[in-house]
Amino acid sequence: MATFFTKPISSLAHQALDDNPNFDPHISLFGDARAEDGSSTVQLTRSHAPSSGLLLLDTPFKSTSARNVGQRTSFSTEFSFSIAPGNSDGLAFVLVPNGFHTRFQGQGSFGLSGENTFLGVEFDTKKDDKAGNFNANHVRIDIHGLESVKVSNLSSLNLVLNNGDVLKSWLDYDSSSKLLQVRLSKHDENRPLNPIIAYQIDLMEMWGNEDVFAGIISTANAESSQTSSNVDVYSWRLRVRAVPSWMHSLPADPRGFMDKDSEEIREGKGKSCALTILARLIFATGCGALFAFMILFMWAIFVSRQTVFPVMCEPGREDFRYEKVDVIVEKEDQCIKV
């Protein structure tokens, strides 16, 4: 269940979104973002550049619990979207400070130019060498600026951002491990087991006790074409939860999550599990063989000590001579008697 704190900004939520079960209530639309009456889709940009649109949750949350200061909060969000071919920067999920909506003019990439404090997860369809983008089909994480701290190539995953397909993304931040994970798949597929990108960050250190607003942005600048691609959002939900202090642990190792290009993909659980089982079987077999050998060895020693072998003795010379003498005497007697 979502947990929010403080007072919301002035509500500009479109009535169609309030009645749409695919969206959280109290979402404001800014710029060119609009939801047509009778439609369950929000269109972020117009068909002519320049264009920019923003979806913003009216109610902020804090990185610490309002009831228990110092108790960290985690969040999870999921949203589905599509980006048509054409001129567009893509789409970004952002955490921004209070007052961002008053400054949002759609200037620069995702309208974040000039912002000093923000967290952005960009589904980027433009190549920018200065920002660390190695192609026009990637996911990247930005902190306090438009230079990426982490980039993941989607081409190796057979995912294309701007071919018009409906995609779904899951973003999860765990405050106990201070780990942000991003997952992406086609809309009709299940939630992936492994994230496409993961980054360790302490939101409590970043935001302190300030209000944090969550939003979804898309921009299209008139650099090379006056026609922009349509960027649509079909659903969006955000959940915030407090994590008890006793659950805090050492930070998780983000190197356990990797993709092919950033060299950050977690090894499959099935492979490691099979190897573990095989190693245990080999170890158990060796221990059993050693135990059986020791039992046989001890049994052989014990039996050899308890067994008595009969000793065959030859008759002594005296006995033989005595019997011989008796025979002679008997013969002599016989002779005498005779």
Side-chain angles (χ1 to χ4, degrees):
M1 183 176 181
T3 304
F4 295 101
F5 310 103
T6 74
K7 295 181 179 180
I9 61 175
S10 58
S11 177
L12 299 174
H14 198 286
Q15 185 63 36
L17 290 185
D18 286 340
D19 300 333
N20 192 328
N22 296 326
F23 289 84
D24 277 336
H26 310 300
I27 295 180
S28 297
L29 287 74
F30 297 92
D32 296 325
R34 62 189 182 278
E36 300 294 340
D37 293 336
S39 175
S40 60
T41 303
V42 175
Q43 187 173 338
L44 288 179
T45 57
R46 294 181 289 110
S47 58
H48 295 284
S51 179
S52 60
L54 166 66
L55 288 177
L56 193 70
L57 278 171
D58 296 343
T59 311
F61 67 91
K62 294 180 182 292
S63 58
T64 59
S65 173
R67 297 180 179 178
N68 186 4
V69 177
Q71 184 178 9
R72 301 170 183 266
T73 55
S74 302
F75 76 85
S76 297
T77 185
E78 61 181 71
F79 50 90
S80 57
F81 65 95
S82 66
I83 305 173
N87 176 31
S88 174
D89 293 326
L91 177 141
F93 171 84
V94 295
L95 295 181
V96 291
N98 189 14
F100 173 78
H101 64 287
T102 62
R103 300 185 297 272
F104 178 73
Q105 301 294 330
Q107 300 297 323
S109 181
F110 298 107
L112 296 170
S113 298
E115 291 295 324
N116 297 322
T117 304
F118 71 87
L119 169 67
V121 178
E122 300 182 11
F123 301 84
D124 209 336
T125 58
K126 277 193 174 181
K127 185 177 184 299
D128 187 353
D129 295 330
K130 295 181 180 180
N133 304 341
F134 44 78
N135 67 10
N137 187 47
H138 62 269
V139 175
R140 73 182 197 180
I141 297 177
D142 299 338
I143 299 176
H144 302 321
L146 294 178
E147 185 173 350
S148 305
V149 296
K150 207 64 166 297
V151 182
S152 176
N153 180 18
L154 295 180
S155 299
S156 59
L157 302 177
N158 296 323
L159 291 173
V160 180
L161 289 174
N162 60 346
N163 64 354
D165 288 344
V166 179
L167 305 175
K168 188 171 185 178
S169 180
W170 296 261
L171 277 67
D172 301 286
Y173 175 73
D174 179 40
S175 60
S176 61
S177 62
K178 303 181 181 67
L179 192 66
L180 174 65
Q181 301 180 34
V182 182
R183 291 172 171 83
L184 182 69
S185 72
K186 294 182 179 180
H187 187 264
D188 56 351
E189 296 179 353
N190 295 328
R191 173 187 167 103
L193 175 63
N194 295 327
I196 59 174
I197 192 170
Y199 185 74
Q200 193 173 358
I201 180 175
D202 189 348
L203 291 185
M204 184 175 179
E205 180 181 349
M206 178 178 178
W207 295 101
N209 199 37
E210 296 181 11
D211 292 339
V212 181
F213 289 85
I216 295 178
I217 303 174
S218 181
T219 56
N221 297 311
E223 296 178 353
S224 59
S225 173
Q226 293 296 321
T227 301
S228 66
S229 58
N230 290 333
V231 179
D232 297 326
V233 179
Y234 303 93
S235 64
W236 180 28
R237 289 191 174 277
L238 177 73
R239 295 294 177 265
V240 179
R241 63 190 184 278
V243 178
S245 58
W246 58 266
M247 292 185 62
H248 292 173
S249 61
L250 294 176
D253 185 0
R255 292 175 296 178
F257 304 94
M258 306 186 174
D259 58 72
K260 295 181 179 178
D261 296 280
S262 61
E263 297 182 354
E264 295 201 0
I265 194 165
R266 183 172 58 182
E267 293 184 358
K269 289 185 177 179
K271 181 178 179 180
S272 61
C273 183
L275 291 177
T276 301
I277 294 175
L278 179 61
R280 289 179 178 177
L281 286 176
I282 294 175
F283 179 76
T285 303
C287 291
L290 180 61
F291 180 75
F293 173 78
M294 292 299 296
I295 293 296
L296 291 175
F297 181 74
M298 296 301 295
W299 179 82
I301 294 176
F302 178 79
V303 171
S304 64
R305 288 184 177 181
Q306 297 295 326
T307 303
V308 179
F309 297 96
V311 179
M312 302 298 295
C313 299
E314 295 181 357
R317 292 182 179 181
E318 294 79 4
D319 295 338
F320 179 78
R321 184 177 300 172
Y322 175 79
E323 292 178 358
K324 185 176 182 181
V325 171
D326 291 340
V327 172
I328 294 174
V329 170
E330 290 177 359
K331 287 183 179 182
E332 290 179 352
D333 292 340
Q334 290 177 359
C335 291
I336 294 173
K337 291 177 178 182
V338 171

